[in-house]
Amino acid sequence: MTTASSADHPTRRDFLFVATGAAAAVGGAATLWPFVSQMNPDASTIAAGAPIEVDLTPIAEGQDIKVFWRGKPIYISHRTKKQIDEARSVPVSSLPDPQTDQARVKPGHDQWLVVVGICTHLGCIPIAHEGNYDGFFCPCHGSQYDTSGRIRQGPAPTNLAVPPYQFVSDSKIQIG
Amino acid sequence: MSGPSDYQPSNPVLKWIERRLPIIGLVHSSFVAYPTPRNLNYWWTFGAILSLMLALQIVTGVVLAMHYTPEATMAFKSVESIVRDVNYGWLLRNMHAAGASMFFFAVYIHMFRGLYYGSYKEPREILWILGVIIYLLMMATGFMGYVLPWGQMSFWGATVITNLFSAIPYVGESIVTLLWGGYAVGNPTLNRFFSLHYLLPFVIAGVVVLHVWALHVAGQNNPAGVEPKTAKDTVAFTPYATIKDLFGVSCFLLFFAWFIFYMPNYLGDPENYIPANPGVTPAHIVPEWYYLPFYAILRSIPNKLAGVIAMFSAILILAFLPWLDTAKTKSSKYRPLAKQFFWIFVVVCVLLGWLGGKPPEGIYVIAGRILTFSYFAYFLIVLPLLSRIETPRPVPNSIADDVLAKTGSKATPMVSTVIALMVAGALFAGSAQNARAEQQEVPPSQKWSFAGPFGKFDRGSLQRGLKVYKEVCSACHGLSYIAFRNLADPGGPGYSTAQAAAFASDYKVKDGPNDQGEMFERPGRPADYFPSPFPNEQAARVANGGALPPDLSLIAKARSYERGFPQFVIDFFTQFQEQGPNYVDALLQGYEEKPPAGVSLPEGSYYNKYFPGHAIKMPKPLNDGQVTFDDGSPATVAQYAKDVTTFLMWAAEPHMEARKRLGLQVFVFLILFAGLMYFTKKKVWAEAH
């Protein structure tokens, strides 16, 4: 490109080039969006992730069940008095991820622990009623959770997550 | 790619890289400093357009493969869920499907350009042969891609095309079995076609690299057909060719976007919206438009083996072109006779394409034979003969002379050829439509609120149509691709999420097994799909006198009728896409108490004016007063038909409103962008003249 003509009409010429370049950039970015957006869950996956209801009556004290919601295992434990006491007698400040047991269950439903059964370390599924704390033990890298699903020992950084849920009645919960 | 680069980076990091891997120098010498003849016209931008199309097909294809299931019972449904559920899935699918047609459209222009300007002549023979190889690979890829949606045309196209190989003596049948992986086209065939359809584009990309390499060794041909002699004959690839190519690309994108956003089904076959059925062959097997000329050649030879040989020879003969046409003058501009024969050849090809879409009967067979002869005569008689007897006009001394000789008078032939080519393309496309349904009564064209570039569904009509479907049609017809949640989707009947949930809970849906291992019924949820009235095909047939009531999810796109010439050409410009709705609406109202005199109906059939063959197994479904509307709309058959058709059109394409809305935005942008590109190109080139 010569410099002579750009010296003649520097502004008009530069404006055209900048405008064309900008339009190309905007068009390119806009074109890119559908290719990124398509990676997100599609409408049927989102619809299938709707809340589910779980009947608690068949779960005896000291037992737990595993249900799936949005492809994740959810542990529902019917805790014994002993398990609840164990969870509540630990000084919160001594925990790696301090949280009271009360904050992890619904008031009035202390015996029900509902947690996402996915180890917060790297996503393996911990085994219930295993480990030193009668809670959950992750066989992958040895993380141990207590009867409230809180991390007590091992590489996992945080407590087992509590999914969004509510009691529809005393014996039924809705997860999601 | 043309010798060692003289590119010297000044940045120390680039210097470091360049000493170890001279890749920047390679790009610089190939796409920046590379000298390109200064007299190239816009026909030369199709190389860049094709590169873009290949890249776009690969990118959209890789993305579609993330959502597609190559399994015979799930493939059709997975394509529908791409279009219905995946974010922008409808856009990606339209891009890929229309993209295939655009790719072929561009490659045909590219090939005809090479033919006209003698781009296959010494020293570009290998360049040309690589191009023929790319074209063959494209045909294989396109064919296998068309099989993947596993509709009726996919299935029967696969059957017919693979059966071509059965013509080979002795080993034909074994080869066909080998291709199928079974005793008929089936799941193994689909699986391997998917695998190969994913592989071949990368093979094409590899051969394209060789093609560009060969191009950059021999240098580009040009309209004058004389090789560059001095620096005055050439300009640098960047910015001159780059900017010109980009302007060409932006114009091509406008054409492409017309199909993506406004005519997505214009080039497709409605038959392919019917899931593959190994028991029923469609009345007319028509390949995609880009194969039609060769299909016509195949059919015009009465002997099976000879037909297959002729078809493959028609493509392979292109590879021998450099030795069939031995004339010294490259460009047909300076060959008065070759020029005329070239255009005759173009017409022959277009006519062959048109014939390919016609049924092989009567006059079409004779015309097919004459045109097939003409096709081969061009290569085997005309070109070798012309090379010996034609006296060419003098060619310019140099490219620079050529540029000086014609300043100003070059735009007109280009424009007229573009128009001629577009008409020819439309003729091709339309000929595929032409082949369908001959003796059928043409349904009257209705006014649809969803027609045209700004079309929107009438919410009231959709809601009434849903009621008609629920109270009448759903007794026999499924709607299995529609979920209750869709009723609350934007661009649909306009219900709220709560209303859709309430609507769903009226239905009983089979679920399970429960903890006892038993199936149970529960109220429907938004995520559930409309339950089908019959548990399986056999039950449906028994209940309906042997006929299978089709699922209505796609019926508005799976039915069509012939529009005829020149109507289908006009349809391209007016965006007419409503054959399906017109047909469904007409069918619902087309019942007659008594068949016309002289027409006898089989037992259990009814006379319908618009049904192909007139004998329909479905009794008259709608009667006045059958359904009561809350909004006071008339309770007439005409109203029911219109509303339920509107509803079924939405069911067939739930994202139509989004498609047309995004289309408008894209067009505004592309027109502005093409305008900017035009002026930028002019500015850049102002210095070259």
Side-chain angles (χ1 to χ4, degrees), chain B residues 21-44:
Chain B
L21 179 74
I23 191 164
I24 309 163
L26 178 73
V27 171
H28 186 268
S29 62
S30 306
F31 301 106
V32 180
Y34 179 71
T36 170
R38 66 190 310 153
N39 60 341
L40 297 186
N41 57 31
Y42 277 105
W43 298 119
W44 261 264

Side-chain angles (χ1 to χ4, degrees), chain A residues 1-2 5 12-13 16-17 19-20 23-24 27 33-35 37-44 47-48, chain B residues 59-60 63 66-67 85-88 91-92 95 239 485 527 529 669 673 676-677 679-680 683-684 687:
Chain A
M1 279 183 248
T2 56
S5 68
R12 202 204 282 174
R13 174 202 176 85
L16 181 64
F17 287 176
T20 310
W33 175 242
F35 290 89
S37 176
Q38 57 84 20
M39 301 278 277
N40 266 319
D42 68 23
S44 65
Chain B
V59 170
T60 53
V63 162
M66 293 180 189
H67 304 279
D85 289 337
V86 173
N87 297 338
Y88 296 99
L91 172 63
L92 299 165
M95 278 171 86
R485 65 183 156 85
Y529 289 80
F669 173 81
F673 184 64
L676 278 171
M677 282 308 304
F679 288 111
T680 304
K683 267 266 150 61
V684 168
E687 293 145 15

Side-chain angles (χ1 to χ4, degrees), chain B residues 5-83:
Chain B
S5 172
D6 53 357
Y7 173 71
Q8 290 297 331
S10 50
N11 181 308
V13 176
L14 295 183
K15 240 180 204 157
W16 188 89
I17 297 172
E18 194 66 9
R19 268 192 61 199
R20 285 152 182 87
L21 179 74
I23 191 164
I24 309 163
L26 178 73
V27 171
H28 186 268
S29 62
S30 306
F31 301 106
V32 180
Y34 179 71
T36 170
R38 66 190 310 153
N39 60 341
L40 297 186
N41 57 31
Y42 277 105
W43 298 119
W44 261 264
T45 63
F46 278 86
I49 289 168
L50 284 163
S51 309
L52 174 88
M53 287 315 298
L54 177 62
L56 211 57
Q57 286 302 86
I58 289 180
V59 170
T60 53
V62 166
V63 162
L64 288 171
M66 293 180 189
H67 304 279
Y68 169 77
T69 315
E71 202 275 333
T73 57
M74 289 150 85
F76 188 86
K77 196 168 169 86
S78 77
V79 172
E80 275 309 305
S81 47
I82 289 173
V83 170

